[in-house]
Amino acid sequence: MSNYSGSDLKVTGIDFLKSQNTLLHHTDEYNIENLVVRRGQPFLLQLSFSRELKATDKLSLRFGIGEKPMKTRGTLMSLSVKREQDLSGWQISIVKNSGKECLLSVTSSPRAPVGRYILNVKTGTNIYQPPNGPMYLLFNPWCKDDVVFLDDEAQRKEYVLNDTGCIYVGSAYRIYDKPWNFGQFEEFVLDACMYLLDNSKLKLSNRSDPVSVSRVMSALVNANDDRGVLMGNWSGIYKNGTSPLDWIGSVAILQQYYKTKKPVCYGQCWVFAGVLTTVMRCLGIPSRCVSNFNSAHDTEENLTVDIYMDEYGRIKNGISFDSVWNFHVWNDVWMKRTDLPEGFDGWQAIDSTPQEQSGGIFQCGPCPLKAVREGDVYLPFDGKFVYAEVNADKVYWMVKKVNGKDKYIKVNTETQDIGVNISTKAVGQDKREDITAQYKFPEGSKEERKAMQRALSFIRPSGLTPRARISSTMPMAGAVSQPAVPCEAVLKSGVHLEITNKEALYPGNPLELVITVKTSTPGTRTINLAGSCQLQSYTGKVEADLGCVKETIKLEGKSEMQVPLKIAADAYMKTLSSVEDEVLIHITAIAEVQGTDYKLTKDTTMRFEYPPITIQMPETAKLNKEFTCAFIFKNNLNMSLDNCKLLVEGLGIFKMSTFDEGDVKPGRIIKSEIICTPTRLGEKKIIAKLISTQIKGISAAKAITITE
């Protein structure tokens, strides 16, 4: 009879100790059966054996990633209890061995590839594979030896663990926030990220590197080259998909993508940025959405953007490939740049909106903010493009017909318009944080001029002739300027322009606009003033000409005069109903001082103002106990809102729901209720959005604290 203690040692079960491990690894929120842990940090496994584990027994745990895990490629880690340290930098040790149970501690390498690992346990010649599937290994911003280490708990809570937030949109001096659910812990979101990693052409060994992972994800979030997540569409026609304005978060997008494995229709820049934030946070790379106002799209890479207008200042679509977007949203991700000289660690810009190809495909970044700030635009990746987005000059050209031919007259150059009020959500609070200083030195400062010279030495400067040509569908835009330092033309001519609105800009009401001409030096001046008002989309594409004004005015010494520009509601109502995008009001003024060469331009973008949605609910609620949430909206506009839909979502409280509200006539109040049962503790947010044929931009968010 064989001796019992010498009988084969077999594993009869593994407990992944999920609740204990995930709490320590800050992964307890992931809605997934499997164990999710972060690299470079110990986790515990409880093994059950057919008999007691003896010192002479052979026991090894094998963690494999990819189709064919191999030790030589660093994709198979075989950890023997007898050798505490493995060559791959993984460690294993016995914490407690009693009876047929053994508690093991495993620490993965802080440089391990992230992804799905299959575990099997070898005892002698027996191999045991646990039935409850693979485990997930993520980047670890809590681990000092991980290149994504972020040494600030409040920032880690915001940039890694916060699953809600807001994205700043609007125009440079009328900024508003779009609430957004990132939802990185929701069902299938982690699986969608793993599917993207598997689909990327990244070598498994490169999955350990956040530079490679963030670059490849900036390509995979758009569908342009690789059947990625989102199809971009700026055409204004979204019939065979979801309008970019109808999303309130990333969850529905990533879940649909994972289910169908086909690109989701449609996205514009804030949707791409919202989804990329979700993917980065989900994988454990700290990430934030960044909104750049008056964002230059400089296709020539010569740091100038040409704007063409007629004598009234009406911007002309389609002459230039260059454009200025009222805002553009991308992402910053946090990491050490071990691939670069010292000094470029920290925030890196990445962008998944398909604008320009980089290395033959639509991807952008990571580009160190420090490189953008200092003008080191030769550093990888895509420094020139990002630098131009925040630093290009705007050159205004007037197009006049002379003998039946277009003649281009240079009006002036605006050097302080582009890249203003760069914004992200503040850490731990629902406020806007201005991060312009992280991207550029103060306008007009010595450092800024030095950085500009440095950047120009890498970007070939070209002559300033208008490059008129028929453009693609890429629009061009106007933007807002309220520079701290007045431009040369203002100083020399002593003339200054301002554009304001007398009344709130409610849709359905006339737009009461005013152009103010001010003079600041002695003498009499006769000024030819022209002004115009247009509706445009956020990318600056002109949707409608609403009206213009031309006057000649005389000003003596230090004085000012107001010229009204009033637009009747009828002038824009039709456009509001026919355009599926949210439109902005763009006003341009041009002043020519008679008897001189002085020409000034001033333009500004404003947005319509809307009545609010009110969210009514208690401040706190108990876990798994019902409460009622009500959404109330009163249409106090002088116009009907047709085909109204109310979209609501509360992560950890209720799934996204849509209420059809029909046509909401002026004065009508709508109220919708939802009975919810919270399934997760902590502060949760409820987001509501109202969309109608005429208006897309009404949204609200409210927080509730869920307690035991």
Side-chain angles (χ1 to χ4, degrees):
M1 213 172 84
S2 68
N3 181 349
Y4 174 71
S5 67
S7 68
D8 261 8
L9 177 72
K10 284 185 180 156
V11 176
T12 55
I14 294 182
D15 184 346
F16 283 99
L17 302 172
K18 191 178 161 192
S19 52
Q20 193 179 336
N21 283 323
T22 55
L23 206 61
L24 292 167
H25 283 251
H26 307 93
T27 53
D28 50 313
E29 296 249 356
Y30 285 92
N31 184 0
I32 195 166
E33 292 294 300
N34 313 58
L35 176 66
V36 181
V37 288
R38 298 185 189 276
R39 64 185 191 175
Q41 184 177 333
F43 59 92
L44 297 171
L45 296 172
Q46 175 93 29
L47 270 61
S48 308
F49 296 108
S50 55
R51 60 167 173 80
E52 194 179 342
L53 179 69
K54 296 276 194 319
T56 52
D57 285 320
K58 281 185 174 159
L59 168 68
S60 63
L61 272 65
R62 300 193 299 183
F63 293 90
I65 184 171
E67 300 261 307
K68 298 195 187 88
M70 286 159 76
K71 284 186 187 175
T72 50
R73 290 201 178 145
T75 54
L76 178 64
M77 277 49 73
S78 182
L79 309 178
S80 161
V81 178
K82 301 211 165 115
R83 290 193 317 271
E84 294 224 335
Q85 175 92 31
D86 183 68
L87 292 168
S88 61
W90 289 53
Q91 294 170 334
I92 189 168
S93 59
I94 295 177
V95 179
K96 190 174 167 205
N97 187 18
S98 62
K100 294 180 182 177
E101 306 270 285
C102 178
L103 186 63
L104 293 173
S105 171
V106 177
T107 308
S108 61
S109 160
R111 291 171 297 285
V114 298
R116 224 189 262 108
Y117 282 78
I118 301 285
L119 164 66
N120 59 53
V121 183
K122 196 171 176 200
T123 51
T125 55
N126 296 310
I127 290 177
Y128 174 85
Q129 194 162 336
N132 38 356
M135 58 170 246
Y136 294 74
L137 189 68
L138 308 179
F139 289 102
N140 193 350
W142 283 263
C143 168
K144 280 194 169 57
D145 297 321
D146 194 316
V147 283
V148 300
F149 174 62
L150 181 57
D151 196 10
D152 181 313
E153 182 57 22
Q155 288 188 13
R156 291 189 293 243
K157 271 196 173 132
E158 182 67 56
Y159 299 135
V160 186
L161 299 180
N162 196 353
D163 58 357
T164 66
C166 58
I167 298 173
Y168 291 95
V169 295
S171 65
Y173 300 97
R174 306 274 173 112
I175 296 172
Y176 70 103
D177 61 339
K178 220 183 239 297
W180 194 265
N181 279 332
F182 297 115
Q184 64 268 38
F185 306 119
E186 299 306 301
E187 195 178 17
F188 304 124
V189 170
L190 181 58
D191 283 316
C193 294
M194 292 298 154
Y195 173 75
L196 286 170
L197 271 179
D198 291 342
N199 248 17
S200 74
K201 311 228 170 12
L202 262 195
K203 283 206 207 100
L204 283 166
S205 56
N206 284 349
R207 283 203 197 179
S208 57
D209 171 28
V211 174
S212 305
V213 170
S214 60
R215 183 158 174 80
V216 70
M217 287 304 182
S218 82
L220 284 164
V221 165
N222 67 63
N224 287 51
D225 308 285
D226 37 40
R227 297 180 61 71
V229 180
L230 259 177
M231 188 64 77
N233 184 343
W234 284 265
S235 70
I237 302 158
Y238 312 118
K239 290 204 178 16
N240 42 3
T242 301
S243 159
L245 294 133
D246 293 5
W247 303 112
I248 50 178
S250 314
V251 181
I253 296 169
L254 286 162
Q255 287 176 342
Q256 182 185 324
Y257 179 71
Y258 185 64
K259 201 169 127 190
T260 64
K261 310 289 192 283
K262 289 192 177 95
V264 176
C265 299
Y266 292 107
Q268 288 177 7
C269 71
W270 67 91
V271 191
F272 287 108
V275 172
L276 191 51
T277 298
T278 301
V279 171
M280 292 289 102
R281 288 184 185 178
C282 186
L283 294 173
I285 298 175
S287 175
R288 63 187 185 187
C289 285
V290 174
S291 301
N292 179 38
F293 289 91
N294 300 346
S295 191
H297 186 110
D298 171 25
T299 54
E300 311 275 324
E301 281 200 350
N302 61 355
L303 285 191
T304 62
V305 171
D306 297 314
I307 305 248
Y308 297 93
M309 52 195 186
D310 69 7
E311 287 140 87
Y312 287 96
R314 286 181 295 218
I315 288 175
K316 296 168 85 66
N317 273 347
I319 297 181
S320 168
F321 268 134
D322 288 356
S323 55
V324 179
W325 294 21
N326 282 297
F327 64 86
H328 178 44
V329 191
W330 61 74
N331 303 78
D332 285 344
V333 281
W334 180 271
M335 63 191 65
K336 282 198 180 74
R337 287 299 294 266
T338 52
D339 57 324
L340 297 182
E342 236 171 69
F344 295 101
D345 297 342
W347 289 116
Q348 319 283 322
I350 58 174
D351 191 344
S352 57
T353 299
Q355 299 182 89
E356 293 291 309
Q357 291 189 335
S358 167
I361 58 174
F362 285 98
Q363 57 186 353
C364 180
C367 168
L369 266 55
K370 189 120 184 293
V372 176
R373 196 162 172 239
E374 309 276 353
D376 290 308
V377 295
Y378 60 93
L379 289 170
F381 290 90
D382 307 306
K384 291 177 184 177
F385 186 75
V386 179
Y387 186 85
E389 285 184 302
V390 298
N391 284 304
D393 287 345
K394 219 160 79 173
V395 184
Y396 292 95
W397 301 87
M398 194 183 283
V399 185
K400 275 187 173 169
K401 279 263 187 271
V402 178
N403 303 330
K405 283 212 173 99
D406 282 348
K407 189 178 176 207
Y408 298 89
I409 302 147
K410 186 176 162 191
V411 182
N412 68 335
T413 301
E414 183 55 73
T415 60
Q416 301 184 351
D417 242 14
I418 302 283
V420 296
N421 299 341
I422 303 173
S423 305
T424 190
K425 179 189 171 301
V427 172
Q429 45 186 346
D430 290 325
K431 279 202 189 119
R432 185 180 76 85
E433 183 190 351
D434 193 298
I435 55 170
T436 312
Q438 295 178 34
Y439 272 88
K440 53 207 279 196
F441 290 108
E443 290 287 357
S445 67
K446 265 212 313 278
E447 296 90 344
E448 186 237 3
R449 279 197 292 276
K450 205 171 128 193
M452 186 63 115
Q453 287 318 117
R454 192 161 167 71
L456 280 169
S457 69
F458 303 113
I459 298 172
R460 290 191 305 281
S462 72
L464 258 191
T465 49
R467 302 179 306 271
R469 55 181 185 179
I470 302 307
S471 83
S472 65
T473 52
M474 266 306 173
M476 45 181 291
V480 180
S481 67
Q482 292 189 350
V485 190
C487 74
E488 214 179 349
V490 172
L491 293 171
K492 281 189 182 159
S493 66
V495 178
H496 180 70
L497 297 173
E498 274 173 19
I499 300 168
T500 48
N501 53 308
K502 274 206 311 214
E503 299 291 328
L505 302 168
Y506 286 118
N509 289 7
L511 309 179
E512 307 262 4
L513 305 164
V514 176
I515 300 168
T516 306
V517 186
K518 291 183 176 178
T519 52
S520 56
T521 51
T524 305
R525 289 178 197 76
T526 306
I527 295 161
N528 299 336
L529 179 75
S532 63
C533 179
Q534 295 174 306
L535 285 185
Q536 55 171 227
S537 66
Y538 89 95
T539 59
K541 182 171 122 205
V542 176
E543 301 288 0
D545 290 323
L546 301 187
C548 49
V549 62
K550 236 183 191 178
E551 277 193 30
T552 300
I553 54 179
K554 256 203 168 104
L555 286 174
E556 306 266 344
K558 266 189 165 182
S559 57
E560 65 176 69
M561 189 179 276
Q562 294 195 340
V563 177
L565 175 56
K566 186 173 175 173
I567 309 290
D570 292 349
Y572 64 80
M573 293 293 279
K574 215 166 153 183
T575 307
L576 274 194
S577 306
S578 64
V579 174
E580 287 200 37
D581 293 306
E582 192 180 353
V583 288
L584 296 159
I585 302 156
H586 185 255
I587 307 107
T588 309
I590 305 174
E592 294 185 59
V593 183
Q594 285 187 11
T596 72
D597 290 335
Y598 296 129
K599 282 193 188 72
L600 283 108
T601 53
K602 168 85 183 173
D603 59 359
T604 191
T605 309
M606 301 177 179
R607 77 179 281 250
F608 284 106
E609 293 173 51
Y610 308 122
I613 299 171
T614 307
I615 302 175
Q616 284 183 346
M617 61 180 177
E619 280 179 24
T620 61
K622 293 254 185 285
L623 192 67
N624 301 321
K625 293 271 191 323
E626 283 186 357
F627 72 92
T628 303
C629 180
F631 304 93
I632 299 157
F633 173 79
K634 180 182 181 187
N635 180 9
N636 52 22
L637 300 172
N638 288 324
M639 60 185 276
S640 172
L641 297 177
D642 303 330
N643 306 312
C644 286
K645 271 203 198 86
L646 179 72
L647 313 168
V648 295
E649 184 178 42
L651 301 181
I653 301 174
F654 58 86
K655 285 202 158 66
M656 189 163 130
S657 313
T658 305
F659 297 94
D660 280 315
E661 307 284 2
D663 298 350
V664 181
K665 300 272 179 275
R668 191 179 146 211
I669 296 173
I670 52 173
K671 182 176 182 182
S672 296
E673 287 188 340
I674 199 159
I675 292 166
C676 4
T677 310
T679 54
R680 276 186 242 156
L681 290 170
E683 188 184 271
K684 298 290 156 210
K685 262 211 192 92
I686 287 176
I687 290 180
K689 176 164 196 157
L690 187 78
I691 48 177
S692 64
T693 303
Q694 292 84 357
I695 290 174
K696 318 284 189 272
I698 305 177
S699 57
K702 196 168 183 186
I704 181 166
T705 304
I706 311 301
T707 58
E708 299 248 24

